[in-house]
Amino acid sequence: MDIQTMTFLIVGATFVLYIGIAIWARAGSTNDFYVAGGGVHPVANGMATAADWMSAASFISMAGLISFMGYDGGVYLMGWTGGYVLLALCLAPYLRKFGKFTVPDFIGDRYYSQTARTVAVICAIFVCFTYVAGQMRGVGVVFSRFLEVDIVSGVIIGMALVFFYAVLGGMKGITYTQVAQYCVLICAYMVPAFFISILMTDSFIPQLGFGGTLADGSGMYVLDKLDGLSEELGFTAYTEGNKSMVDVFFITAALMVGTAGLPHVIVRFFTVPKVRDARMSAGWALLFIALLYTTAPAVATFARVNMINTINGEEMQGTEYAQAPSWVSNWEKTGLITWEDKNDDGRMFYSGDERNEMKIDRDIMVLANPEIAGLPAWVIALVAAGGVAAALSTSAGLLLVISTSISHDLLKRNLMPDISDKQELFFARLAAAVAVCVAGYLGINPPGFVAQVVAFAFGLAASSFFPAIILGIFYKRMNKEGAIAGMISGIVFTAAYIIFFKFVSPEANTPDNWWFGISPEGIGTLGMLLNFAVAIVVNKMTNDAPDDVQEMVESIRYPKGAGAAHAH
């Protein structure tokens, strides 16, 4: 059976599963729609959180980044992993005890201000739309290759599926769909990693194969081999970095604190019955996430070695295009691989200098990895299903945050306080439908490759939400004036920096022109520091938060009580 037929069968079966779960778990109230009724088991919530967390950027792009960037790509691995730990330990239990569904809900009540709530809603929508653009792009990349449709059609298929189960099922449907999606994506990631590790290193476990020796009898370590290949072809040694330590620190910090401010991950901790369950589900999620994250460097390295060997040939003289392996022509059809025969010798050659004839999109590395290694068609189809699961699970969580921010925080808690539960549910579904359309447009016209777009979303979350949440929990005297001024200054500064270097003047996007040597991917850390500084200065110049608010903040810092979430 060929790859396309196998892909239709496996991806189609997963779609039927997701839609079936959405119908079974249909939300009947706002409590179901927003927090799945607050009755999800910690292990199931851990799986759902892991699926929500491990987006197309984790599944498709992270290993691709490490594969192309080598040591420098490790910032994404460190930042995203460290960020989840920060979220689980420092924020989730306290927000759970506070008992609010959303970040804007927390900020509105903690800072006793509808203006603060509205600013938080705008920030949440801005961050989520930036993030979801990367997910929809990931869906388009998967479908364009494996279903042999163009990227636009792929995005539209993904939109239709997310629309169905996110709008129908709400958080209840999304939670149980994400449990299924985690199982699909982790199998899709690990199975080819096991196979390729055995083929290349004689070690069944990819993490051990990554640090082991090649199975060709040479006794050479995998990373030594890749360092040698990289330097021979004009690249920096794979295990050495080009980025300045300042930029590495700022990108890692932006990803970490951005994680802790991501609204779609935070809301997951309201779907369990008790604060203790929120802590337990955070621990389970970390275990489930670690399975993929510890495997990513191995996948990246194996894919890089195999890709260079198949394009350049064992002698590094270039492979004749007429005899190129099928994966090259398959991905050429999508436009994500291109070849320009510069010296008219009919041979493909990939290098890091003027000899290079290949343009390879880094987002294909995980998806193409089984094909490059010559694995069976069913493994290739399974990886396609995993890529779709990763992108759709996060898309659904983000769209739910957008819809609840509009229906619950903007309308019910601000503009239209008298609407009924049924009307609020209708507006939530309507907002989700509009959000799906906007997300689809951004997926068709993305502002960068998947992981880069997601990195911008983390920077925006770091510069807007994180200081307001941290100060809201741990600094009881912080007032609404400080929080509002901090959020606005942080997100405006960060967005302006990113927009300038990425869209207004991309030719200026070089280390020589960056402020303090900080790239757009890392500027969220500086935006966060600005937010903290502005918030504290404004707070000192105005009155402290009222006494009743300070007492409320004191109460949520003690880990007692269930803090049940409620809709109104």
Side-chain angles (χ1 to χ4, degrees):
M1 194 178 294
D2 65 17
I3 293 171
Q4 189 177 11
T5 306
M6 188 66 77
T7 302
F8 271 115
L9 286 174
I10 293 181
V11 174
T14 62
F15 281 10
V16 170
L17 176 64
Y18 305 154
I19 291 169
I21 291 171
I23 294 170
W24 165 74
R26 181 175 180 176
S29 67
T30 51
N31 202 38
D32 280 345
F33 194 89
Y34 294 152
V35 290
V40 180
H41 190 278
V43 176
N45 195 53
M47 276 193 187
T49 305
D52 211 353
W53 171 235
M54 291 190 295
S55 64
S58 291
F59 187 96
I60 296 173
S61 262
M62 185 168 66
L65 280 166
I66 297 170
S67 185
F68 277 75
M69 298 171 66
Y71 178 86
D72 286 338
V75 297
Y76 292 90
L77 196 65
M78 293 186 295
W80 285 334
T81 308
Y84 183 79
V85 175
L86 181 67
L87 169 65
L89 295 179
C90 295
L91 299 183
Y94 301 106
L95 291 173
R96 179 65 186 80
K97 183 147 191 280
F98 195 81
K100 297 299 176 185
F101 290 146
T102 63
V103 173
D105 214 6
F106 167 79
I107 287 175
D109 283 11
R110 163 60 182 87
Y111 294 112
Y112 53 94
S113 165
Q114 295 294 16
T115 304
R117 186 190 308 277
T118 304
V119 170
V121 167
I122 293 167
C123 291
I125 292 171
F126 191 34
V127 168
C128 288
F129 272 131
T130 306
Y131 200 159
V132 84
Q135 309 314 306
M136 285 299 178
R137 179 67 176 181
V139 173
V141 169
V142 174
F143 285 158
S144 67
R145 161 64 189 94
F146 295 106
L147 301 186
E148 296 191 5
V149 298
D150 58 63
I151 286 182
V152 173
S153 301
V155 170
I156 291 170
I157 294 169
M159 285 168 58
L161 189 66
V162 172
F163 175 81
F164 185 85
Y165 72 77
V167 174
L168 180 71
M171 180 56 87
K172 191 175 180 184
I174 286 171
T175 296
Y176 293 106
T177 305
Q178 284 173 337
V179 171
Q181 285 166 333
Y182 175 76
C183 297
V184 171
L185 76 86
I186 202 65
C187 288
Y189 207 84
M190 299 303 295
V191 167
F194 291 143
F195 274 125
I196 296 169
S197 185
I198 291 170
L199 289 172
M200 289 186 65
T201 70
D202 285 339
S203 173
F204 175 72
I205 301 171
Q207 290 88 339
L208 297 180
F210 173 60
T213 56
L214 291 163
D216 59 7
S218 66
M220 182 177 283
Y221 285 97
V222 175
L223 289 171
D224 285 343
K225 169 79 170 177
L226 191 49
D227 273 346
L229 282 175
S230 298
E231 291 179 317
E232 181 184 341
L233 295 172
F235 297 101
T236 304
Y238 190 74
T239 55
E240 294 178 11
N242 285 323
K243 286 185 176 295
S244 69
M245 198 49 64
V246 170
D247 199 29
V248 166
F249 174 81
F250 272 77
I251 294 175
T252 304
L255 295 172
M256 280 185 65
V257 297
T259 300
L262 281 179
H264 73 294
V265 177
I266 288 172
V267 74
R268 289 240 55 94
F269 295 100
F270 297 111
T271 62
V272 290
K274 302 191 294 279
V275 174
R276 180 172 176 270
D277 293 332
R279 292 182 185 274
M280 286 180 64
S281 65
W284 279 109
L286 191 58
L287 175 65
F288 294 136
I289 290 166
L291 280 175
L292 189 148
Y293 271 47
T294 56
T295 309
V299 169
T301 303
F302 298 157
R304 181 80 173 173
V305 172
N306 284 333
M307 181 194 74
I308 291 173
N309 282 338
T310 53
I311 289 178
N312 290 359
E314 292 293 338
E315 301 298 323
M316 294 295 118
Q317 299 300 313
T319 300
E320 287 189 24
Y321 182 72
Q323 297 175 354
S326 59
W327 69 269
V328 174
S329 56
N330 288 337
W331 283 98
E332 268 191 310
K333 293 173 187 173
T334 68
L336 298 173
I337 285 182
T338 56
W339 171 60
E340 178 192 353
D341 193 2
K342 291 182 178 178
N343 55 4
D344 297 322
D345 65 350
R347 291 175 177 270
M348 302 181 300
F349 194 78
Y350 177 66
S351 72
D353 52 33
E354 68 279 354
R355 297 173 293 167
N356 183 50
E357 299 176 338
M358 305 294 296
K359 185 177 179 183
I360 302 169
D361 191 300
R362 62 188 71 191
D363 282 342
I364 76 166
M365 290 307 290
V366 169
L367 301 173
N369 196 23
E371 288 181 273
I372 297 172
L375 298 185
W378 68 268
V379 179
I380 297 168
L382 182 63
V383 170
V388 173
L392 294 181
S393 60
T394 305
S395 297
L398 291 163
L399 292 168
L400 191 75
V401 167
I402 293 168
S403 70
T404 52
S405 293
I406 292 170
S407 63
H408 183 68
D409 299 313
L410 198 59
L411 298 180
K412 178 66 180 178
R413 298 300 305 274
N414 199 344
L415 303 178
M416 302 165 64
D418 298 326
I419 58 172
S420 66
D421 191 72
K422 189 174 180 180
Q423 288 173 312
E424 187 181 346
L425 191 58
F426 167 77
F427 281 120
R429 287 186 165 133
L430 179 63
V434 173
V436 166
C437 295
V438 176
Y441 174 79
L442 292 171
I444 293 166
N445 302 284
F449 58 85
V450 175
Q452 189 181 47
V453 173
V454 170
F456 296 153
F458 279 71
L460 295 170
S463 62
S464 56
F465 286 129
F466 182 75
I469 296 171
I470 285 289
L471 292 171
I473 294 171
F474 297 106
Y475 185 44
K476 64 182 182 180
R477 290 187 294 179
M478 177 51 62
N479 59 19
K480 62 182 179 182
E481 291 86 0
I484 293 168
M487 281 193 292
I488 293 173
S489 58
I491 198 165
V492 167
F493 167 77
T494 304
Y497 192 91
I498 291 170
I499 290 167
F500 176 78
F501 281 116
K502 288 296 177 180
F503 306 109
V504 176
S505 187
E507 68 280 357
N509 189 20
T510 63
D512 292 336
N513 295 320
W514 296 339
W515 285 13
F516 313 112
I518 303 167
S519 65
E521 289 82 1
I523 200 63
T525 303
L526 197 58
M528 174 199 71
L529 296 174
L530 177 66
N531 184 333
F532 272 120
V534 170
I536 291 169
V537 168
V538 171
N539 180 68
K540 295 296 185 186
M541 295 169 64
T542 50
N543 295 324
D544 286 346
D547 291 342
D548 59 323
V549 171
Q550 294 193 38
E551 288 171 13
M552 174 181 68
V553 174
E554 283 279 348
S555 72
I556 68 169
R557 290 218 298 267
Y558 295 98
K560 263 176 70 177
H566 49 83
H568 307 293

